[in-house]
Amino acid sequence: MAAVMTQTQCVSSDDTLSPGSVLKLGSPPHDAESMGLEALLKGATSVFDIAPETALLLICNNIEKLVAHFETLPASTSSYPNSNGSTPMEPQTPTEEEPPMRSVGLHCGDTEDGNGDRSEEDTFQLRMLSRKFLSKNIPPIALKDYLQRLHRYCPMSTAVLLAASVYITRMAFVEKVVRPSPKNMHRLVLAGLLVATKALEDLSFPHSRVAKVGGVSEQELSKLEVAFCFLADFDLRVDARMLMDEARIHCTGHLQLSETDFLEEKSG
């Protein structure tokens, strides 16, 4: 059951030092949004020149573009069944009811056949994992406000924010295992940031703190973390060039619409 969370509940302000906050090299101006994301990156030659606040705007912009793109596509009745998860930040948390599932062994690695198609069992497994991110209702908090809340009480580095963006984009366009929507984007971002922090930083905030700030229970957060790792096939490697490319791609307004486009942008 998710933790009941309201805007007035928060973590004390005297304990907000981030393990990766030393990477922060400055903040964008207060009128950053009116300037445009491309203007914010002007003069930045590496990911280390990008402030975390700018990276936050970039990941928010990217996820919202992903959601808008997938909303224009026909919904697949077989890929995304009815939601069963609780809603982050909702005033009253309904009891989570897990649907009946047959036993499926979790595994990672190359599970495709010679034609590049997944087996029926693998498809079922990934579908059930993707359901973990669906909320019963659209969360009442905007994604930008949600990200700012997370960053305020669990500050994150530029690398963590951009890496989470890389993971989610890859899962949506390359692996095709998630379909970003208003009902799952908050939980995808929460899990992505937690996984990216553990993958890139030497220290991370305790689950109890992240869960409270994110508006879910510790048990639910752990489930999201595990599901995210399996959906990402545990491919969490990123480097400075990949992160800088991610920043530049998502400040131009361009959205990769295929696996080929995505891979070409990353390799070019």
Side-chain angles (χ1 to χ4, degrees):
M1 181 181 296
V4 178
M5 184 70 69
T6 66
Q7 294 289 348
T8 58
Q9 290 176 305
C10 61
V11 184
S12 59
S13 59
D14 59 348
D15 188 26
T16 59
L17 181 60
S18 165
S21 61
V22 293
L23 296 178
K24 182 175 178 180
L25 301 179
S27 303
H30 294 297
D31 59 344
E33 290 185 83
S34 62
M35 292 176 57
L37 293 174
E38 193 168 5
L40 292 177
L41 292 187
K42 186 176 182 180
T45 58
S46 74
V47 68
F48 302 105
D49 296 328
I50 303 174
E53 289 79 5
T54 298
L56 186 148
L57 294 178
L58 289 170
I59 184 176
C60 182
N61 182 56
N62 180 37
I63 301 304
E64 289 179 342
K65 285 192 297 182
L66 287 173
V67 171
H69 167 68
F70 281 100
E71 284 186 329
T72 65
L73 302 179
S76 172
T77 56
S78 61
S79 298
Y80 292 90
N82 293 331
S83 63
N84 66 300
S86 57
T87 304
M89 311 298 292
E90 62 185 357
Q92 296 180 345
T93 303
T95 302
E96 181 176 340
E97 298 178 356
E98 294 286 353
M101 294 177 57
R102 69 173 183 263
S103 177
V104 178
L106 294 177
H107 51 82
C108 62
D110 188 3
T111 59
E112 299 177 346
D113 58 25
N115 297 322
D117 297 324
R118 294 189 179 95
S119 67
E120 180 181 353
E121 181 177 295
D122 293 331
T123 300
F124 176 82
Q125 171 185 304
L126 293 172
R127 186 185 307 163
M128 297 310 297
L129 288 172
S130 68
R131 286 187 60 173
K132 295 292 183 184
F133 297 91
L134 285 166
S135 299
K136 287 183 178 293
N137 304 294
I138 297 177
I141 181 172
L143 181 61
K144 179 185 173 184
D145 295 335
Y146 188 64
L147 279 165
Q148 288 178 335
R149 175 185 174 83
L150 290 173
H151 187 56
R152 178 180 180 184
Y153 298 113
C154 297
M156 295 158 285
S157 68
T158 296
V160 165
L161 290 159
L162 293 178
S165 182
V166 169
Y167 299 156
I168 295 172
T169 304
R170 183 188 298 152
M171 288 160 58
F173 280 130
V174 180
E175 301 300 333
K176 298 180 175 65
V177 291
V178 295
R179 183 186 178 110
S181 72
K183 283 190 174 183
N184 69 13
M185 60 182 181
H186 294 74
R187 293 157 71 91
L188 277 173
V189 165
L190 177 63
L193 292 172
L194 177 62
V195 169
T197 298
K198 291 187 176 183
L200 301 179
E201 304 288 1
D202 294 329
L203 299 174
S204 61
F205 291 106
H207 271 217
S208 57
R209 181 187 181 98
V210 178
K212 185 175 181 180
V213 175
V216 298
S217 68
E218 291 183 55
Q219 181 181 23
E220 197 169 20
L221 181 62
S222 295
K223 290 180 180 179
L224 294 177
E225 179 186 7
V226 172
F228 192 96
C229 287
F230 273 97
L231 289 173
D233 203 18
F234 288 87
D235 184 7
L236 307 176
R237 296 166 297 178
V238 293
D239 55 35
R241 178 182 175 183
M242 289 175 61
L243 298 181
M244 191 62 190
D245 288 345
E246 183 75 7
R248 287 172 175 156
I249 287 169
H250 299 306
C251 75
T252 61
H254 175 64
L255 182 64
Q256 294 83 3
L257 301 182
S258 70
E259 176 179 352
T260 301
D261 291 340
F262 183 83
L263 293 177
E264 285 179 352
E265 288 283 1
K266 293 305 180 183
S267 61

